Every structure is written in structure tokens, then in C-alpha cells.
Amino acid sequence: MTPEPTPPASSRSSSPGPTSDDAPREQVPNPLHHLLDVLRLERVGDGDGSAADPEHFRGVSVHQPTGRVYGGQVLAQAVLAAGRTVPDGRLPHSLHGYFLRPGGLDVPIDFAVERLRDGRSFSARRTHAIQHGKPILSMISSFQELQGGIEHASRMPDAPPPEDVPSALDVLGGIDHPIARFWSHHSAFELRHVGGSLYLGPDHEPTDHQMVWMRSRGDVGDDQLLHRALMAYACDQVMLEPILRQSGTSWVTPDISIASLDHAMWWHRDVRVDEWLLYVQSASSAQGGRGLGAARVFAQDGTLVASIAQEGMIRVPAM
């Protein structure tokens, strides 16, 4: 019997949970528009930005068939909340976050932003994502004005164009299961794995590298803060996959448990998530029920736009 596809549970707040068969195909007629609505945070407090009186924002969540909040969503919302408090013209260039608890879909998420520093060029913010009075994510992010300086970037490796690579819809579109429908029809991003995905089984030639083309399913506009937040949203889907490839496991390995523990991200240049981006990924180590994934992200013209690292918990009962 073909195993049921399991979506990438790539953060502690999106770890495998009970699935639901009551997610109709027409529930989210335009997944990208729905995601953009979710990312429009409401300001609910006018604190002074100190640790004792942070600024407060509130957001809701995208439906997930796992019944848990997707961790990339919380990252994106935290970036946007912090970005609402910095001087005009400063964009995020790095974040470092820890996933602390699972998030639930039943209540909104509150974002408390502390103003750690506003210098002549940089601003630093600490953001806590909170449900039921407890943090589910703690993140520090740094913002910078546009400045000149030394220019250097790694070169993009050779890769087939995205048009020649099968999509998630090609792989999962014919499977009548709520999780398969979610990733093939209801996802706001289109993913195309070079050399094949891990949705339905392991890689037959284990390797600690992979490449994935990714873009949003529609135009996002020109707000660079939003594009960078959406990159944080999207990348959380794939960051731990090279570890699965190397170990001969996949998203459908029985009783596998996967959850990201921390996430670091550096934006080097402006990015557009509504144009194809190539994620060139690797996994340098796995041990003690944890693994480290990394990615360099290139625009289709070869420009390096971001670097990402994530450590996650990966537990397989037989190992």
C-alpha cells in the first residue's frame, strides 16, 4: 500500500499532529491571497518598546492539515512585526530564532516587540510570539539602511531550469488525500525538487545535498519587507530535507518525528519570492536526534540573495 504523504513538518510549531479529512479543496480558493491576509498583522498595543512595555501585534494562522501552526508562518509574522517598529528605509538582513513550543490554530498569536537598539545604520529587535501566555518563538532580528561596501558572492551551481523539473502538483495532484491536496493545491508556494522529492518515499541514491526551485503562486507586489518575510515563510518547508535524503528516510517514513529547533537567516540582497529562486542545500551533520541543514538561495539570474541555516530534531524509532 502506498504510504500517505506527510507534509514537511519543519518546525516545532508544525510537527506532525492529528490530520483532518475535513479540509475541502475549495477551502482556500487562492492560497497566496489567503497567506497575504494572514500576514497583515493588527497592532493591539502602543508600548514604548522596552522589555517591560513592548509593542504588541496580533495575527491569525493559515490552516494546516497537521492541526498545528506552521513554523515558517510564525517566523514571517515575527519579521513583519519587528519591521513595523524600525525607521523607514531599514530592511532585515538577519534573524536568529528559537522554536520553543507547538502553536495551535485555535487562537491568535500575539507578537511582542522590544526595541533593543537604533543606531545610525542598524536597528535590532527582539520578538516573542505568544499563545496562552507562553512564547512559542523567540527571535532577534537586525535591520540596516541601504549602504555601499565590498561586493562578493558565491556562484550558482548548474541546475536545470524550473520548467524542466516536476512540481508538487505533478507528484501529488492525483492523490485524493487532504495532505496531498494541501501541498499540491493549497500551498501558497510552488516547489520543484531537482532529482525528485521526498513526498512519497526516500531518495534511492542517498546524498546530503539537494536543489529546489521555489516561487509564490502569484504576484506579491513590491514591498521588500514582505518579500523577505515570505522567504522566511517558504524556506522552512525544505531546510531539513537533505538530512532525510542522506539517512534514507522521507516525509512518509513510519513514526518519524521532525521539528525545527532554531533558525538563522541572512538576506544579502533584495529578493522577489514571486520569481523563481533556487535553494542549494546541504546537511553537514546529524547526531543525537538532531541535524543541521543549510541553504544558499539564488535568483534565477545567478545572484546570491540569502543564506539560511536550521537545526532540527529528527527522530526515527528504528534508529
Side-chain angles (χ1 to χ4, degrees):
M1 183 177 71
T2 303
E4 296 178 350
T6 303
S10 54
S11 77
R12 182 168 295 279
S13 53
S14 64
S15 56
T19 61
S20 170
D21 288 331
D22 59 358
R25 184 170 308 210
E26 56 276 5
Q27 180 177 359
V28 183
N30 189 312
L32 179 60
H33 289 177
H34 176 58
L35 172 59
L36 294 177
D37 286 341
V38 165
L39 295 181
R40 293 187 179 97
L41 303 178
E42 175 190 5
R43 182 183 285 273
V44 294
D46 294 320
D48 61 14
S50 66
D53 189 20
E55 298 179 63
H56 285 273
F57 302 86
R58 181 169 295 160
V60 295
S61 295
V62 175
H63 167 81
Q64 296 289 327
T66 60
R68 302 285 182 87
V69 175
Y70 166 54
Q73 173 206 300
V74 185
L75 276 175
Q77 290 171 314
V79 170
L80 291 170
R84 294 267 293 272
T85 72
V86 302
D88 291 342
R90 298 189 179 189
L91 289 169
H93 69 88
S94 69
L95 71 79
H96 301 264
Y98 281 87
F99 296 99
L100 303 175
R101 293 176 178 84
L105 299 175
D106 55 332
V107 296
I109 304 172
D110 289 329
F111 296 87
V113 182
E114 301 173 29
R115 299 182 179 228
L116 299 182
R117 181 177 184 268
D118 283 311
R120 289 182 297 177
S121 302
F122 292 87
S123 294
R125 298 292 185 265
R126 178 185 291 117
T127 306
H128 297 294
I130 300 168
Q131 281 189 325
H132 303 293
K134 297 180 179 180
I136 62 174
L137 171 79
S138 180
M139 183 190 81
I140 291 181
S141 52
S142 183
F143 297 72
Q144 183 189 12
E145 294 181 355
L146 180 63
Q147 294 177 310
I150 297 171
E151 281 289 331
H152 164 74
S154 298
R155 297 181 60 183
M156 184 173 78
D158 292 335
E163 295 78 14
D164 293 345
V165 180
S167 68
L169 179 61
D170 296 326
V171 177
L172 300 174
I175 299 176
D176 188 17
H177 184 276
I179 296 177
R181 290 198 305 270
F182 180 85
W183 290 107
S184 60
H185 294 87
H186 295 168
S187 173
F189 280 80
E190 182 178 359
L191 277 68
R192 297 182 175 226
H193 287 76
V194 176
S197 71
L198 301 177
Y199 295 132
L200 299 176
D203 193 330
H204 296 301
E205 297 181 2
T207 175
D208 61 0
H209 289 72
Q210 77 168 16
M211 294 192 291
V212 183
W213 287 106
M214 193 183 307
R215 72 175 176 184
S216 64
R217 296 181 185 270
D219 182 75
V220 173
D222 297 320
D223 182 351
Q224 187 57 209
L225 174 63
L226 179 60
H227 278 275
R228 296 188 188 200
L230 283 167
M231 175 178 274
Y233 174 93
C235 71
D236 193 35
Q237 303 172 81
V238 298
M239 286 303 301
L240 300 179
E241 286 190 333
I243 303 165
L244 302 184
R245 286 190 185 277
Q246 177 62 35
S247 64
T249 58
S250 73
W251 294 115
V252 295
T253 296
D255 298 320
I256 193 170
S257 180
I258 305 171
S260 68
L261 301 172
D262 58 27
H263 191 97
M265 191 164 184
W266 298 266
W267 295 270
H268 309 308
R269 296 166 180 85
D270 283 353
V271 60
R272 291 201 65 97
V273 296
D274 48 12
E275 298 176 358
W276 285 114
L277 298 170
L278 180 67
Y279 287 70
V280 179
Q281 299 182 246
S282 62
S284 58
S285 180
Q287 70 298 308
R290 307 186 322 276
L292 180 64
R296 293 175 296 152
V297 186
F298 296 87
Q300 196 169 3
D301 66 2
T303 302
L304 180 68
V305 296
S307 299
I308 313 168
Q310 183 179 101
E311 186 175 45
M313 179 198 77
I314 300 182
R315 292 175 177 166
V316 181
M319 292 185 176

